[in-house]
Amino acid sequence: MIIASKKPIEEIIQEITPYSRILILGCNECVTVCEAGGKKEVEVLASALRIFCLSQGIEKTIGEHTLERQCDHEYLEEIRNMVDDYDAIVSLACGVGVQFAAEKYLTMPLLPGVNTVCLGANEDRGLWTERCQACGSCVLARTGGICPVSRCAKRVLNGPCGGSTNGKCEISKDTDCAWQLIIDRLKALDKMDDYEAVAPVKDWSKDRAGGPRTVTREDVKI
Amino acid sequence: MSKYVSSSRLERILKAGHLGVTSECGPPRGSDAEEVTKKGLLIKDYVDAVNVTDNQTAMTRMSSLAACIHLKLLGIEPVLQMVTRDRNRVALQSDILGAASFDISNMLCLSGDHQSFGDCARGQNVHDLDSMQLVQTVRHMRDEGKFLGGDDIKRPPKIFVGAAANPFADPFEIRIPRLAKKIACGAEFIQTQCIYNIDKFKEWMRRASDRGLTEKVFIMAGMTPMKSVGMAKYMKNKVPGMDVPDEIIQRLAGVEKKHQAQEGIQICVEHIQELKEVPGIAGFHIMAIEWEEKVPEIVEKSGLYPRPDM
Ligand code: SF4
Ligand code: SF4
């Protein structure tokens, strides 16, 4: 899923300064699961902003709403009748949701309320980790199901680099060396011979290097 | 056809079966070429070639290629170090051609330290290729006479291609497969990480030789003299992938502070002498970081002087 983290409230306060009627718009999908932008976070942010405005003697209307999904035309339609009551929307969806809403409501300023971080997973209570960078041509079959593109600090495809120490990456003792993980898994699979197959120069044209990507499926088009 | 792939003296010396000697020189954090040439002249007659580091530890410095050219103009043979951290395949291939245009005939392919260690910790890295893919790239340009994109190169680069190996980095069991992989990619010489744990290094060499790898590649053992017990402790605890046995630390700690540097040199010389006897060792890469003036002494005391005239 897409992992986001809350923006510092000071930054949001700064962004909303010019506007007096603000809608805080949450999303029920990824940002809810990673506890950054769901209904609960909408409530918390709205209250915090109200308290701030009260304490500063600033008058602002702060509204709240959470959509099933912000990256979906159908759900975004739901607020069509609501948006006229506001001068700006603080969206707690990921960058995709913010942009989709912005596209839909052309004259409405859309301010992101979260930082979109990565494609990741919830490893532990309060811990989300990056697992994929959507490189567009997946190499997991050759790397024991562990992604060197997103999990190795140098995206080394024939690793590990010389900095791998005690299973940790050279950048920090808190970061696993992706190549140690790959080798451990290849060993478990009894596929260590695979390690010596050289990964050729990668075609990054399917990555962001190839420009904005689209997926077209003729079979599902109408 | 000549049996040489380049005009590199290092290549001729290694192929003739002599123990090669290289050292290194870090370009300055400024544009004064004298800082490079001074270091180069200090060691010129004591080594076969001088590696020029490429923004080592991710600190921005004078470009490795420019510094190599300064050395070359003085008649010193450079080894161009190139990391994949800062340049994509367009820039790397372009720099390889630039180097070849000055007949720079040795290159060492590296991934480079992560930029978070340097002065641009907030910058982007590139890593379009990894170090093995860079080896493949130079070999492709040289041997096929083609760019990665497939077009022909007019006057392809004639470069003797090297890679680094760290016999001590984890996990130990893949150290040999990894070396094999670098050779499969086309590495012709290997310069290793600094060696302090001689026993572990010999074990690595034995395994490399058992697999026939020492027949396929010239392995130059990396040597860095310790300046002090403080440096030894720092290397042990702070530098990733470094293996400094406690005996070394104890030995340095056992002498008075003002004699520690000399003791460090003595250890280095003893290590070289011991390793000279190890089958498969093709030479030594002496990395006296900001201590280039000591390289002649180390080379002489280790019996590696004078250098063969080839
Ligand atoms: S290889 Fe690419 S697509 Fe596959 S997990 Fe890694 S980044 Fe994602
Ligand atoms: S230590 Fe491991 S994860 Fe870190 S850059 Fe090197 S290979 Fe990648």
Side-chain angles (χ1 to χ4, degrees):
Chain A
M1 82 184 145
I2 297 174
I3 310 297
S5 66
K6 296 178 180 185
K7 266 193 190 292
I9 184 133
E10 298 76 21
E11 195 180 326
I12 298 174
I13 288 170
Q14 181 87 30
E15 294 296 342
I16 63 171
T17 313
Y19 310 105
S20 49
R21 298 171 304 159
I22 294 131
L23 174 64
I24 314 289
L25 189 61
C27 175
N28 243 334
E29 297 280 353
C30 310
V31 288
T32 296
V33 186
C34 69
E35 302 186 37
K39 191 158 185 281
K40 191 177 81 195
E41 289 75 28
V42 168
E43 280 169 18
V44 171
L45 178 63
S47 323
L49 292 175
R50 283 185 204 116
I51 293 166
F52 170 79
C53 292
L54 261 178
S55 70
Q56 301 293 307
I58 304 168
E59 232 169 84
K60 280 193 203 292
T61 308
I62 312 275
E64 300 173 29
H65 196 78
T66 298
L67 298 176
E68 202 46 44
R69 265 199 297 285
Q70 271 189 52
C71 55
D72 198 318
H73 282 299
E74 187 189 331
Y75 295 112
L76 269 176
E77 272 304 321
E78 207 179 294
I79 55 167
R80 178 144 322 264
N81 297 328
M82 206 185 284
V83 289
D84 288 342
D85 301 336
Y86 297 97
D87 322 316
I89 295 176
V90 172
S91 163
L92 299 194
C94 71
V96 181
V98 179
Q99 293 185 60
F100 221 54
E103 219 168 280
K104 191 117 188 139
Y105 301 105
L106 214 52
T107 55
M108 173 66 66
L110 263 140
L111 313 168
V114 301
N115 292 316
T116 305
V117 180
C118 62
L119 304 186
N122 187 195
E123 258 193 61
D124 206 343
R125 190 82 200 110
L127 175 67
W128 291 270
T129 56
E130 178 160 29
R131 292 302 172 101
C132 174
Q133 279 179 3
C135 78
S137 55
C138 195
V139 304
L140 290 178
R142 283 178 273 129
T143 57
I146 288 150
C147 171
V149 176
S150 58
R151 301 182 70 185
C152 162
K154 298 179 191 168
R155 301 206 299 194
V156 176
L157 295 174
N158 286 292
C161 78
S164 178
T165 310
N166 298 325
K168 298 296 172 187
C169 174
E170 71 175 38
I171 62 163
S172 142
K173 288 196 166 53
D174 301 325
T175 307
D176 288 330
C177 168
W179 275 96
Q180 175 79 54
L181 300 176
I182 292 170
I183 286 149
D184 291 348
R185 186 111 206 290
L186 288 176
K187 254 194 280 179
L189 293 168
D190 201 17
K191 280 184 131 184
M192 269 307 282
D193 285 349
D194 279 13
Y195 172 73
E196 282 189 47
V198 174
V201 168
K202 186 168 162 76
D203 172 4
W204 292 110
S205 68
K206 307 277 193 294
D207 185 72
R208 55 144 208 96
R213 292 164 282 177
T214 50
V215 175
T216 317
R217 282 268 306 273
E218 294 304 332
D219 58 330
V220 290
K221 268 189 165 174
I222 12 171
Chain B
M1 226 185 76
S2 107
K3 60 184 170 116
Y4 300 118
V5 296
S6 69
S7 59
S8 156
R9 178 167 66 209
L10 180 64
E11 182 191 355
R12 287 199 302 280
I13 286 177
L14 292 173
K15 287 188 174 168
H18 298 294
L19 285 171
V21 179
T22 51
S23 184
E24 74 173 23
C25 155
R29 304 202 71 217
S31 62
D32 187 357
E34 214 190 292
E35 286 190 43
V36 188
T37 53
K38 240 172 46 196
K39 287 182 190 171
L41 288 171
L42 267 175
I43 53 180
K44 181 175 190 276
D45 298 330
Y46 295 85
V47 297
D48 306 317
V50 177
N51 282 46
V52 181
T53 50
D54 181 6
N55 297 302
Q56 77 266 31
T57 61
M59 294 296 269
T60 313
R61 291 170 179 272
M62 179 194 289
S63 88
S64 170
L65 176 54
C68 279
I69 295 168
H70 288 299
L71 292 182
K72 179 91 188 176
L73 293 175
L74 289 174
I76 300 168
E77 179 163 306
V79 178
L80 173 69
Q81 293 197 183
M82 271 198 171
V83 302
T84 60
R85 176 192 58 224
D86 309 320
R87 277 160 291 180
N88 73 352
R89 63 190 79 179
V90 180
L92 289 165
Q93 291 181 98
S94 152
D95 281 352
I96 290 167
L97 292 183
S101 76
F102 282 92
D103 292 323
I104 289 169
S105 49
N106 308 291
M107 194 180 140
L108 187 77
C109 304
L110 305 162
S111 55
D113 296 312
H114 195 265
Q115 84 278 2
S116 55
F117 295 106
D119 64 341
C120 293
R122 295 179 167 197
Q124 265 287 10
N125 56 30
V126 181
H127 297 301
D128 176 7
L129 305 178
D130 66 23
S131 59
M132 293 203 202
Q133 293 164 345
L134 181 57
V135 171
Q136 287 174 275
T137 301
V138 203
R139 285 297 301 265
H140 179 76
M141 292 172 77
R142 186 188 84 195
D143 301 341
E144 312 300 324
K146 288 190 188 302
F147 289 104
L148 282 181
D151 291 344
D152 289 337
I153 299 173
K154 281 189 202 156
R155 192 180 187 263
K158 294 275 174 255
I159 290 179
F160 187 46
V161 186
N166 183 352
F168 311 108
D170 293 321
F172 188 63
E173 67 266 35
I174 63 115
R175 291 291 114 203
I176 293 300
R178 183 158 167 75
L179 178 65
K181 212 168 160 179
K182 288 205 168 177
I183 296 167
C185 287
E188 296 166 304
F189 71 94
I190 296 286
Q191 291 172 321
T192 78
Q193 173 68 281
C194 321
I195 298 158
Y196 299 104
N197 188 337
I198 298 289
D199 292 336
K200 199 164 174 186
F201 177 68
K202 282 183 176 166
E203 167 68 13
W204 182 79
M205 281 301 294
R206 198 181 53 70
R207 293 192 195 188
S209 143
D210 285 352
R211 253 197 81 164
L213 299 179
T214 49
E215 302 289 309
K216 295 186 183 147
V217 78
F218 298 105
I219 298 177
M220 304 184 74
M223 312 301 308
T224 294
M226 294 288 193
K227 275 184 185 170
S228 64
V229 68
M231 172 176 171
K233 285 185 181 156
Y234 179 83
M235 294 270 233
K236 182 184 175 81
N237 301 320
K238 292 276 174 346
V239 183
M242 195 74 75
D243 183 338
V244 183
D246 289 330
E247 299 96 80
I248 304 260
I249 293 176
Q250 280 155 15
R251 185 166 157 189
L252 287 166
V255 299
E256 249 182 276
K257 205 171 172 80
K258 64 174 194 280
H259 297 309
Q260 280 174 5
Q262 203 49 45
E263 189 71 10
I265 288 178
Q266 184 55 33
I267 295 173
C268 184
V269 169
E270 286 169 21
H271 282 174
I272 294 178
Q273 274 161 346
E274 188 172 346
L275 293 178
K276 271 164 99 178
E277 309 305 323
V278 173
I281 294 277
F284 296 91
H285 178 48
I286 304 167
M287 298 165 276
I289 307 146
E290 295 305 320
W291 212 20
E292 287 79 5
E293 68 272 21
K294 292 293 176 191
V295 172
E297 181 182 337
I298 295 170
V299 174
E300 273 181 330
K301 286 193 170 151
S302 315
L304 295 166
Y305 187 79
R307 301 306 310 141
D309 187 16
M310 295 194 74

